[in-house]
Amino acid sequence: MTNELFACDGRVDDEKMYELLGVGTETDTLDYKSTLDLSRGAEKQKVEFAKDCMAMMNLPTGGYLVIGVDGTGAPALDVDPIDRSHFDSAALMQRVRSYVDCPVEVISAVHTHNTLAREIAVVYVRPSRSGFPAIASRDGSYRTDNRTLTVFREGEIFIREGTVNARLTHRMWPLALERYREAIKAEARRDIDHLVSRLAQNSREEGPGSPGIAPTLEMDDQAFENSVQAAFESGRPMGLRRFATEAKNALKKTYKDKTGDKRQIALDRLTEFIAIAIFHEQDEQVEAGLKVMYSAYTAPLDESGVASTSVHAHQVETATYWLDILVRVYALGALAVRCERWNAARSLTLQTIGDETYSYRSWIRHGMVEAARAGILSPKAGEEARGGVVISLALELSTKLAALHPDVLLNETPDQDAGRSATDPILDSICQFDILYCLIAATAPEGRRSEFYPSSAAFHQSRVNPILERVVRNDEIRRFLFPGISDQAVAEAISGVVDAAASESWRYGGFWHGVQGSIERFVDSNRQEG
């Protein structure tokens, strides 16, 4: 089993295609196929496709099929090209629906590989919304050589186990029912969560002098958000300090938690706390929350007892823990960009890892390096990380936690059925924070490691250009982001970062084309002045 991560988020655009190809191997939620013929008479492949989709539907996140590639994610050149007309989303849903007894949701798109000019289909199969497994409603059979062969029987259930579609066994039932169990737990908590949320809301409405409800890790999202906002509005810092202490202690206890459940809850609540503080311009609380997050990030380093920036790079659990935090940093940075909280964006970047003789100016770069060394973000341990995954994971988290998108309605995000990279306010702002991190790191003072990696190179440059245009046109933004840094140095940083992204983008879709327009004019004029 690979340690590779990718976001199973339902996107099927060209950027997503390159993310999936970059995984480099099949996983339980990713199936590579060299070809798929769904034309009239190709009954065997139609039945096999239905089986593939049933197995993906029974995973908690659903899964992807990428068609037109070999087992390493490279375009399959030894077979005939796929037929684009076979991959209409509605037609695919209808094919699968004829074999199962529950609603089917499949979205797909076909893209042309940028260097080999081969068409590749990306198909996402959503999990069953009911939480119950998809069951075959009739036999999946086909005729060959005057015989009838049966791939599956009515009543059978399939699920992905590793890289194969397996009949559901007793051991796999918990996985198949994971979404249903989560729904049951949420329903059981609904009444008490509503009561706590209402009490917190009443505290907000009553204002200063009300007793209030201190935020805790155990609260649901809405109750937690109401209690934090009430504390901000009433000027009661005691409850906020108690929460910060609770979160810090919980993370120090749970960073080794391999299941990740308690750790994820603590990180989510801390992330929500910082997000609410960013949105409500509570700078002091932003810094307090980041202090706790930094303490959590450095916990493995502190325990090692040495001033090192690495803890045995082969330790996947540690690198995964750091990556969990960095995904949240990206999501928070995106909110800071959209809300124009430039100080917060800078603070989210400038968290130093290491000592005075050898250090990373930004924990973002440190975490990316360690993830690459551990083989989490690259097909082979030690290779440069494929950073687009981090942005996709941040998008997935930003969609999940309401506190990370208070300014964006989810229906404002693009319809992925279109299969192309449409403007998305959340994804765009994540890419924009990434490029700001690179610029801030590139202008870091001498004596610090100023390496950066433009993860946004895996996405279209059009997502990033708006923030670059604002930086070059607005002196005040530059003063906040690059205090004490000359425009010449900023221009050099922009040129270097964009050139690096353009070069790196060829690992993906070649989506970058260098500095252009007002950005190019700013770079050229300030270089001349220098």
Side-chain angles (χ1 to χ4, degrees), residues 42 263 306 309 318 335 503 526:
R263 184 175 82 196
V306 294
T309 58
T318 302
L335 177 62
S503 175
N526 281 284

Side-chain angles (χ1 to χ4, degrees), residues 460-519:
H460 285 274
Q461 185 175 346
S462 58
R463 297 194 186 279
V464 168
N465 278 341
I467 194 62
L468 291 175
E469 290 168 355
R470 295 191 68 187
V471 166
V472 303
R473 291 174 178 172
N474 192 309
D475 294 344
E476 185 177 2
I477 292 177
R478 292 201 299 279
R479 284 197 298 272
F480 275 116
L481 292 174
F482 316 108
I485 305 298
S486 69
D487 281 352
Q488 180 186 357
V490 173
E492 292 288 349
I494 290 174
S495 178
V497 168
V498 173
D499 284 350
S503 175
E504 184 66 13
S505 74
W506 288 105
R507 294 179 69 195
Y508 308 98
F511 299 135
W512 283 63
H513 310 290
V515 292
Q516 299 171 338
S518 62
I519 306 165

Side-chain angles (χ1 to χ4, degrees), residues 26-33 51-52 54-59 63-64 158-166 172 175:
E26 294 184 340
T27 71
D28 53 350
T29 55
L30 176 61
D31 189 3
Y32 291 147
K33 293 186 176 298
K51 178 183 172 183
D52 292 335
M54 279 192 282
M56 290 293 188
M57 285 176 65
N58 289 331
L59 293 173
Y64 281 96
F158 289 87
I159 193 168
R160 288 281 289 184
E161 187 171 1
T163 61
V164 299
N165 301 324
M172 298 298 290
L175 181 63

Side-chain angles (χ1 to χ4, degrees), residues 274-450:
I274 300 171
I276 296 166
I278 289 173
F279 188 70
H280 290 277
E281 299 185 74
Q282 298 284 330
D283 293 345
E284 183 178 347
Q285 299 302 331
V286 171
E287 294 302 322
L290 277 177
K291 185 176 181 180
V292 175
M293 190 170 279
Y294 180 79
S295 175
Y297 189 94
T298 56
L301 296 174
D302 293 342
E303 186 183 75
S304 70
V306 294
S308 170
T309 58
S310 176
V311 179
H312 305 299
H314 65 276
Q315 293 182 354
V316 174
E317 292 82 4
T318 302
T320 300
Y321 171 71
W322 282 328
L323 187 64
D324 278 348
I325 293 177
L326 292 190
V327 166
R328 286 157 174 78
V329 170
Y330 266 84
L332 290 166
L335 177 62
V337 168
R338 296 196 307 275
C339 295
E340 302 183 4
R341 310 288 191 259
W342 309 119
N343 283 338
R346 185 172 174 82
S347 293
L348 283 160
T349 295
L350 294 180
Q351 301 292 330
T352 302
I353 303 297
D355 58 22
E356 290 301 319
T357 59
Y358 186 88
S359 66
Y360 289 88
R361 182 61 166 160
S362 176
W363 54 354
I364 295 175
R365 180 58 178 165
H366 172 263
M368 293 288 287
V369 168
E370 295 304 317
R373 287 176 177 171
I376 297 173
L377 295 179
S378 55
K380 295 180 180 179
E383 289 186 351
E384 182 67 72
R386 298 185 70 90
V389 179
V390 176
I391 291 179
S392 290
L393 291 170
L395 174 62
E396 189 175 43
L397 180 71
S398 296
T399 303
K400 169 190 168 187
L401 299 181
L404 287 170
H405 61 263
D407 56 322
V408 177
L409 296 176
L410 290 186
N411 61 10
E412 292 178 18
T413 58
D415 180 2
Q416 291 300 326
D417 284 347
R420 58 181 181 274
S421 303
T423 297
D424 178 329
I426 298 178
L427 178 55
D428 291 355
S429 61
I430 297 172
C431 292
Q432 289 167 22
F433 171 72
D434 172 74
I435 217 67
L436 289 182
Y437 133 67
C438 292
L439 292 175
I440 293 168
T443 55
E446 293 296 329
R448 298 285 189 182
R449 291 170 63 89
S450 59

